[in-house]
Amino acid sequence: MRFGFSAATPVIFACLVSGAAQSEIVLSDEELAWRANNPAVTIAVDNDFAPINFIEDGRPVGIAVDLLELIEKRSGLDIDLTVDRWSVLIDLALQHRVDGIINADMTAERQERLLYTRPYYRVPQALVVRNDAPPITTPDDLVDQRVAVLEGTSRVGYLRRHHPGVTIVEAATILDLFGLLIAGEADVLLSALPVTHHAMTLNLVTGLRVSGVFQTDEIDSLHIAVRNDMPRLQAILDKAIADISREERLDILAKWLPQALLQPQRNGAGVALSD
């Protein structure tokens, strides 16, 4: 696996995993022919979505990056990573300037240009408020609230569809979102629970608390979205994802998540639900 940044910096690192010699999944004749003509594919990876994917010591790392390494072994493809901010990468994907992008939730606009693999993880969403604020435990509590979300993400569309009364406040990074909340420029922050927990712990954020956790297929499922003129790539990636065992996925999660977040996964349980 190699990576480079999508901006002018032409950084390409040596291959970590040799693809074609390690294929384990069974491909159709059409898929084998496509792979022979397209041995290397470019997948876009967000640089600020820790612990799912982020930059550490100049290299992309995280849950999704580890999963891509397994997909590379299973598929026989060489995967090159293009790294940048999410808002930049989703535009590259929609313009077909990369072959695929990780973690792109399904939206009507994106499905006009992208094909989706099966999900490889489902990620709970966190509702974060200031310690002195009343609790917001479910999306139904968002009425008339100012909600901070990462710019260019599907959470923006989700809120507009289901909670049109909210005021959406967008920012480029999770730390910027914390800042909006602490400064009183937003009432609640909506973000992926593992990302929120990681950022609050790593940056010693105080004065904020996770007030509620919920799940919805619209913004919880992590897929790889590929350009819609590459259905063979979608099929190959789909087979590779399906071949990764539950134990392998849990091993990756255990590497990046604290036990408090991991335990429901190991027990086969989800978040707590009301009656």
Side-chain angles (χ1 to χ4, degrees), residues 75-238:
S75 67
L77 293 166
D78 287 327
I79 297 178
D80 297 334
L81 304 183
T82 295
V83 183
D84 210 316
R85 300 188 316 276
W86 175 259
S87 57
V88 172
L89 295 178
I90 191 62
D91 284 342
L92 293 180
L94 292 172
Q95 295 167 23
H96 291 183
R97 293 172 59 190
V98 291
D99 299 321
I101 183 169
I102 60 171
N103 306 342
D105 291 317
M106 290 187 183
T107 67
E109 175 193 10
R110 292 172 184 175
Q111 287 179 285
E112 292 178 1
R113 300 286 293 165
L114 302 172
L115 300 172
Y116 284 77
T117 67
R118 68 187 64 207
Y120 53 88
Y121 287 120
R122 291 194 67 212
V123 179
Q125 302 298 305
L127 296 166
V128 181
V129 299
R130 292 182 297 277
N131 283 344
D132 60 357
I136 294 178
T137 59
T138 73
D140 291 337
D141 297 332
L142 295 176
V143 178
D144 298 329
Q145 300 292 313
R146 296 170 298 169
V147 185
V149 295
L150 288 173
E151 64 184 8
T153 65
S154 60
R155 292 170 188 83
V156 176
Y158 169 80
L159 290 171
R160 287 174 178 162
R161 286 190 302 274
H162 298 286
H163 305 281
V166 308
T167 299
I168 299 171
V169 185
E170 298 182 63
T173 71
I174 187 70
L175 291 182
D176 291 337
L177 296 181
F178 291 151
L180 290 171
L181 199 55
I182 292 169
E185 297 177 34
D187 303 308
V188 57
L189 184 159
L190 170 59
S191 178
L193 177 60
V195 175
T196 304
H197 183 277
H198 183 277
M200 291 178 74
T201 303
L202 182 67
N203 295 284
L204 303 178
V205 174
T206 60
L208 304 179
R209 74 182 193 277
V210 175
S211 181
V213 177
F214 71 98
Q215 286 188 320
T216 169
D217 286 340
E218 292 184 60
I219 53 175
D220 281 343
S221 299
L222 302 184
H223 309 257
I224 302 175
V226 304
R227 44 193 292 176
N228 61 358
D229 57 355
M230 289 187 172
R232 298 283 185 248
L233 175 58
Q234 177 206 25
I236 293 170
L237 294 175
D238 229 10

Side-chain angles (χ1 to χ4, degrees), residues 239-274:
K239 287 183 176 180
I241 292 170
D243 195 62
I244 297 171
S245 69
R246 171 179 169 79
E247 289 70 25
E248 288 174 304
R249 295 168 196 265
L250 288 174
D251 285 344
I252 291 174
L253 291 177
K255 176 180 174 182
W256 296 104
L257 297 180
Q259 287 298 314
L261 294 184
L262 183 62
Q263 200 59 43
Q265 296 279 348
R266 291 206 177 275
N267 293 340
V271 296
L273 302 178
S274 68

